[in-house]
Amino acid sequence: MAPSPIVDIHTHVYPTTYLALLRSRTEVPYLLDLPDKLAPPRLIILPSDDDLALPAHQRGRPIDSSYSSINQKIDFMKTHDITTSVVSLANPWLDFLSPEEGPQWAEKVNNELEDICSTSLKCLYAFATLPPSAPASRIVGEIHRLSLLPHIRGIILGTTGLSKGLDDHGLEPIWSALESAKLLIFLHPHYGLPSSVYGPRASEYGHVLPLSLGFPMETTVAFTRMWLSGVFDRHPKLKVLIAHAGGTVPFLSGRIDSCVQHERHFPENEGGKRGPKRGLKEVLRENVWLDAVVYSPTGVRAAVEVVGKERVLFGTDHPFFPPLEEGAEEWMSMGTNVHAVKEAFGDDEQAAAKVLGGNAIELLGLDVASDG
Amino acid sequence: MAPSPIVDIHTHVYPTTYLALLRSRTEVPYLLDLPDKLAPPRLIILPSDDDLALPAHQRGRPIDSSYSSINQKIDFMKTHDITTSVVSLANPWLDFLSPEEGPQWAEKVNNELEDICSTSLKCLYAFATLPPSAPASRIVGEIHRLSLLPHIRGIILGTTGLSKGLDDHGLEPIWSALESAKLLIFLHPHYGLPSSVYGPRASEYGHVLPLSLGFPMETTVAFTRMWLSGVFDRHPKLKVLIAHAGGTVPFLSGRIDSCVQHERHFPENEGGKRGPKRGLKEVLRENVWLDAVVYSPTGVRAAVEVVGKERVLFGTDHPFFPPLEEGAEEWMSMGTNVHAVKEAFGDDEQAAAKVLGGNAIELLGLDVASDG
């Protein structure tokens, strides 16, 4: 029997168009080339990275070729037996562009993503990127255009939406367009939490606090606001894939719902429940998918319990979290997440296989049959 | 067979001494009596509550007699078949006092807690309160004094510690004293997250976002900083009970550890691992207990998976989250958490019974045998 396909739905790339855009800028985010041409350029991605007191090679983070090279992406896939990857632009996407610049760059970047996929012999698909600062009609136009591109299966979206968060009524036409186009929303963090929460010693822990806690907490707040504002009541067919196994949504869903049921602000509905008409449990089971990028069997099990085993999808977060050891071929982040899925399901190897690949193939209609 | 005892280890009280202290103040936190003597006073607990543009009866939150009446606590216990409660002062504890005021108020409040318990016919024990602004020697002195009080089983501690968080080296003598005195630390949130993360529409959701998300996220950051700074390497016998099932620690523990293993900032230890010598998994299984105040079987299961079934302890968070319906006897928050524990364990009724009571009795050495 052929081994089951493995599909990676959380894997990032900075296409060359996008790197050129970042290179042309002098304000955050921007790409800083170093005098040493062999050293990778630095991505100044957060205001805190833009520290002119530091030498250039210590500012921001190095962006080596693994962030843009499709060959390296495919090598990574081969090394780790990944059949198909659904690539997405890494943060900060196009959030920082002006309303005038946004639409043209979205079209360029999305076209490059489509080109990459269409020349990749069926091993790549993509989530595209919207220009959030553009007028709603332009964003809706790009969604319609994307729905005709053969390898685009959804869009990646930051937690700020059009700038005011995902409970912003200004998003209504965007939600409607995505719902009609049946494009999946891949909800992904970028902004983290205000650095004050990490305390005066945060820098001693490198990026651990913002990456391990800030990202999932940002995601959880964003999705909860989206639900509380009634988006899923108004758009019952909207499909959202939440990054990093939902941030912390699976673990906190009971507490969130309990707080709503104890909050006078929300009047009782007909069924005696408070809050949005479609309760959190229902929305999690009908509108939400979660990736399995959570690095523990406990996390995978919690994710499966709240959305169902057919709605959890394997991912790697490549090329982030590379091995620190020189020359290491196998990525620990891959191994940890594969192991977490297998361990979470124990004897139910079929369910594990579906999370590793089958669920994504069905949900996104990926053509992997004639591959390899 | 007599039903198994139920022990509530997360249940709060404002002793009369403490209410008098709050009533004597005019700065946050303070207690504001209303002209209508029948209306409960308002607790102005957060700077955002101190809004002089609002009429007095809309500022802060009402503090009715359920927050201070021991009779009502015991009535609640009887209604819900709770054998024993381990009460703790509700936030913001004594965090706001000056170094001069702190120690005397700690002694007064803790003595009142001890008195309440000693006159309660074995149905009450307490977690005491430290004066965090006091000189370390005074705090250590209070810890020694507490260790001699017969009904004190630990101390409740906010996430700011002495003011700089739980990774502050200034806490070293406190950790040592708590470790020697074998007093449990009940780590509890109060400060939440900066309100900017909730966005411009937050007030439309009442207290849902800060209570359901801010509290657990604050707790998770605090505990992670404590672990990262090596507290458990230096104090291997320290015992920490983390509120609300660890905030989100059980769900994020895999991600936290993965981020540490991918962070160059931490050199490799002898065993090839990075980060504190005692890894997160080990600390969770040897130094950490979690309450079961998580409102879902998924949350309880995740808690049990990371610390072990003998280290999860039932709690209610009484008198917070009262029923919104007039005259309701049964509290939904109690029912939800009991159901979550029973559902999490399925047929293993013995393990569920231990979480509901037996684990707390063993851990804290509670005398419940001759009760009721």
Side-chain angles (χ1 to χ4, degrees):
Chain A
M1 200 176 80
S4 307
I6 297 183
V7 179
D8 182 358
I9 55 79
H10 189 154
T11 177
H12 298 294
V13 66
Y14 288 126
T16 52
T17 326
Y18 189 73
L19 288 182
L21 166 62
L22 291 178
R23 201 166 248 125
S24 72
R25 292 171 53 87
T26 52
E27 281 176 38
V28 178
Y30 67 96
L31 201 64
L32 180 65
D33 284 310
L34 297 181
D36 174 1
K37 291 291 167 209
L38 291 177
R42 312 288 298 188
L43 177 57
I44 314 299
I45 193 171
L46 296 173
S48 58
D49 294 336
D50 198 20
D51 183 354
L52 298 182
L54 286 176
H57 69 276
Q58 286 179 21
R59 275 179 243 160
R61 60 199 75 179
I63 295 295
D64 65 22
S65 54
S66 69
Y67 288 84
S68 53
S69 162
I70 301 305
N71 286 339
Q72 285 184 51
K73 179 74 74 191
I74 290 175
D75 281 347
F76 169 81
M77 292 166 62
K78 283 186 182 152
T79 303
H80 296 92
D81 296 322
I82 295 168
T83 321
T84 306
S85 290
V86 186
V87 299
S88 49
L89 186 61
N91 44 310
W93 315 293
L94 302 172
D95 289 19
F96 51 88
L97 290 179
S98 71
E100 296 72 35
E101 299 169 300
Q104 51 172 317
W105 281 105
E107 199 169 319
K108 279 188 212 176
V109 168
N110 291 334
N111 285 348
E112 185 177 343
L113 283 175
E114 173 59 32
D115 284 349
I116 288 170
C117 297
S118 63
T119 54
S120 73
L121 300 173
K122 291 186 182 166
C123 76
L124 296 180
Y125 289 84
F127 296 132
T129 308
L130 300 178
S133 60
S137 61
R138 298 293 300 272
I139 305 179
V140 168
E142 181 64 8
I143 293 170
H144 289 155
R145 202 183 71 83
L146 291 171
S147 69
L148 304 174
L149 299 185
H151 292 85
I152 302 297
R153 288 297 186 271
I155 56 107
I156 190 165
L157 185 68
T159 60
T160 46
L162 306 181
S163 76
K164 295 182 195 158
L166 301 185
D167 50 2
D168 173 11
H169 284 314
L171 281 159
E172 285 301 308
I174 318 296
W175 301 138
S176 292
L178 290 167
E179 197 181 15
S180 307
K182 296 183 181 160
L183 285 171
L184 186 73
I185 298 160
F186 182 24
L187 173 56
H188 195 288
H190 164 67
Y191 296 92
L193 296 178
S195 59
S196 63
V197 307
Y198 304 128
R201 299 186 56 190
S203 64
E204 295 178 36
Y205 317 132
H207 294 98
V208 167
L209 293 172
L211 278 182
S212 70
L213 307 183
F215 263 28
M217 292 173 179
E218 173 195 357
T219 309
T220 308
V221 172
F223 171 75
T224 306
R225 286 169 57 183
M226 190 177 174
W227 171 62
L228 286 174
S229 71
V231 169
F232 298 100
D233 290 346
R234 294 186 295 278
H235 305 282
K237 299 284 182 204
L238 209 57
K239 298 194 282 186
V240 183
L241 166 65
I242 316 180
H244 310 120
T248 64
V249 168
F251 188 74
L252 290 181
S253 61
R255 183 172 176 90
I256 296 167
D257 191 49
S258 178
C259 283
V260 169
Q261 300 316 318
H262 287 91
E263 174 57 61
R264 264 180 219 290
H265 176 88
F266 292 103
E268 266 186 78
N269 298 333
E270 281 169 31
K273 294 273 281 178
R274 294 170 194 269
K277 282 211 182 70
R278 299 186 60 224
L280 186 53
K281 261 192 187 173
E282 176 185 334
V283 166
L284 287 171
R285 294 218 153 245
E286 296 182 8
N287 298 80
V288 171
W289 284 256
L290 301 174
D291 73 27
V293 183
V294 66
Y295 309 94
S296 76
T298 297
V300 173
R301 271 190 283 259
V304 165
E305 285 182 27
V306 299
V307 298
K309 63 185 178 181
E310 61 295 321
R311 302 171 82 89
V312 176
L313 314 173
F314 180 73
T316 64
D317 224 343
H318 182 265
F320 296 94
F321 305 111
L324 298 189
E325 297 71 34
E326 284 293 324
E329 281 250 310
E330 304 244 341
W331 288 40
M332 197 202 306
S333 54
M334 171 84 189
T336 308
N337 282 316
V338 170
H339 175 263
V341 171
K342 292 188 171 170
E343 180 92 1
F345 285 106
D347 290 340
D348 190 353
E349 290 175 20
Q350 204 184 349
K354 294 260 286 169
V355 167
L356 290 173
N359 290 343
I361 293 170
E362 282 176 34
L363 171 66
L364 302 174
L366 308 181
D367 183 3
V368 299
S370 56
D371 188 68
Chain B
M1 201 176 78
S4 307
I6 297 183
V7 179
D8 181 357
I9 55 80
H10 189 154
T11 178
H12 297 294
V13 65
Y14 288 126
T16 54
T17 325
Y18 189 75
L19 288 182
L21 166 63
L22 291 177
R23 204 166 248 126
S24 72
R25 293 171 52 87
T26 52
E27 281 175 39
V28 177
Y30 67 96
L31 202 65
L32 180 65
D33 284 310
L34 297 180
D36 173 1
K37 292 291 167 206
L38 291 177
R42 310 291 295 189
L43 177 58
I44 315 299
I45 193 171
L46 295 174
S48 58
D49 294 336
D50 198 22
D51 182 354
L52 299 180
L54 287 176
H57 70 275
Q58 286 179 20
R59 277 179 242 161
R61 60 199 74 178
I63 295 294
D64 66 22
S65 54
S66 70
Y67 288 83
S68 53
S69 162
I70 301 305
N71 285 339
Q72 285 185 49
K73 180 74 73 189
I74 290 174
D75 281 348
F76 170 81
M77 291 167 62
K78 283 186 181 152
T79 303
H80 296 93
D81 297 321
I82 295 168
T83 320
T84 306
S85 290
V86 185
V87 299
S88 49
L89 185 61
N91 44 311
W93 315 292
L94 303 172
D95 288 19
F96 51 87
L97 291 179
S98 70
E100 296 73 36
E101 299 169 301
Q104 50 173 319
W105 280 107
E107 199 170 321
K108 279 188 210 175
V109 168
N110 291 335
N111 285 348
E112 185 177 343
L113 284 175
E114 172 60 31
D115 283 350
I116 288 169
C117 297
S118 63
T119 55
S120 73
L121 299 174
K122 292 185 182 168
C123 75
L124 296 180
Y125 289 83
F127 295 132
T129 307
L130 300 179
S133 60
S137 62
R138 299 292 300 271
I139 306 178
V140 168
E142 182 64 9
I143 293 170
H144 289 154
R145 203 183 72 81
L146 291 170
S147 67
L148 303 174
L149 299 184
H151 293 84
I152 302 298
R153 289 297 187 271
I155 56 108
I156 190 166
L157 184 68
T159 61
T160 47
L162 306 181
S163 76
K164 294 181 197 158
L166 301 185
D167 51 2
D168 173 10
H169 283 314
L171 280 159
E172 285 301 307
I174 320 296
W175 301 137
S176 292
L178 290 166
E179 196 181 17
S180 306
K182 295 182 182 160
L183 285 172
L184 186 73
I185 298 161
F186 181 24
L187 173 57
H188 194 289
H190 164 66
Y191 296 92
L193 295 178
S195 58
S196 62
V197 306
Y198 304 128
R201 298 186 56 191
S203 65
E204 296 177 36
Y205 316 131
H207 294 98
V208 167
L209 293 173
L211 278 182
S212 70
L213 306 183
F215 262 27
M217 292 173 178
E218 173 195 356
T219 308
T220 307
V221 173
F223 171 75
T224 306
R225 287 170 56 183
M226 190 177 175
W227 171 63
L228 286 174
S229 70
V231 169
F232 298 100
D233 290 346
R234 294 186 295 278
H235 305 282
K237 299 284 181 201
L238 209 58
K239 299 194 280 187
V240 183
L241 166 66
I242 315 181
H244 311 120
T248 64
V249 168
F251 188 74
L252 290 181
S253 60
R255 183 172 176 89
I256 296 166
D257 191 48
S258 178
C259 283
V260 169
Q261 301 316 319
H262 287 90
E263 174 57 60
R264 262 180 223 289
H265 175 86
F266 293 104
E268 266 186 78
N269 297 331
E270 281 169 33
K273 294 274 281 180
R274 294 170 194 269
K277 281 210 183 72
R278 299 186 59 224
L280 187 53
K281 261 193 185 171
E282 176 185 335
V283 166
L284 287 171
R285 293 219 153 244
E286 296 183 7
N287 298 81
V288 170
W289 283 255
L290 301 174
D291 73 28
V293 183
V294 66
Y295 309 93
S296 75
T298 296
V300 173
R301 270 189 284 258
V304 165
E305 285 182 28
V306 298
V307 297
K309 65 184 177 181
E310 62 295 319
R311 301 170 82 90
V312 176
L313 314 173
F314 180 73
T316 63
D317 224 343
H318 182 265
F320 296 95
F321 305 111
L324 298 187
E325 297 70 34
E326 283 293 321
E329 282 248 310
E330 304 242 342
W331 287 40
M332 195 202 306
S333 54
M334 171 84 189
T336 308
N337 282 316
V338 170
H339 174 263
V341 171
K342 291 187 172 172
E343 180 93 1
F345 286 106
D347 291 339
D348 191 353
E349 290 176 20
Q350 204 184 350
K354 294 259 287 170
V355 167
L356 290 173
N359 290 343
I361 293 170
E362 281 176 36
L363 172 67
L364 302 173
L366 308 180
D367 183 4
V368 299
S370 57
D371 188 71

